[in-house]
Amino acid sequence: LCFLGLIPIIGWEIGTNQSIFLIAVVGLSVDYTVHLLHAYNHAGMDKNRQKRMQHALDEMGLSVTSGAITTIGAASFLQACYFTFFQLFGLFIVFVVLFAILMAVTFLAP
């Protein structure tokens, strides 16, 4: 949803490339949230909500953040490509991963 609102701000129009990107946004955006929620569910039912979320962040926080950083790093190399599709796809990945990790850590965690 954040990426869809970002499209007109960065000057893109909905075309073939952006339609392909919007299909991929679902998989990229839920990845970090699913990992944190999985760790939250395995924290144990005897803990309260705050302790379970703290356990999830302790257990998966570093892995999720490291995954986001390496994905952004890999996508940044696409900016050097000759084809416009790959340049736009790299920019798309950077924005989606930034939004996904921001939402997972700030809005899901509290």
Side-chain angles (χ1 to χ4, degrees), residues 12-93:
W12 290 1
E13 295 180 5
I14 299 292
T16 307
N17 292 343
Q18 289 75 17
S19 298
I20 293 169
F21 300 161
L22 289 174
I23 293 168
V25 77
V26 176
L28 285 171
S29 61
V30 301
D31 188 38
Y32 308 113
T33 304
V34 168
H35 282 87
L36 287 174
L37 288 176
H38 180 73
Y40 179 88
N41 286 335
H42 284 275
M45 295 307 241
D46 56 335
K47 298 178 183 176
N48 64 16
R49 187 175 64 91
Q50 286 83 13
K51 288 185 181 185
R52 290 175 74 188
M53 196 64 224
Q54 184 62 46
H55 171 78
L57 289 172
D58 290 342
E59 184 83 16
M60 293 298 293
L62 183 61
S63 300
V64 166
T65 305
S66 297
I69 291 169
T70 57
T71 303
I72 290 171
S76 65
F77 284 104
L78 290 174
Q79 297 303 307
C81 289
Y82 177 74
F83 294 110
T84 306
F85 175 83
F86 292 119
Q87 291 174 350
L88 294 176
F89 192 61
L91 191 60
F92 156 78
I93 291 173

Side-chain angles (χ1 to χ4, degrees), residues 3-13:
F3 181 74
L4 190 59
L6 185 67
I7 288 176
I9 293 172
I10 61 177
W12 290 1
E13 295 180 5

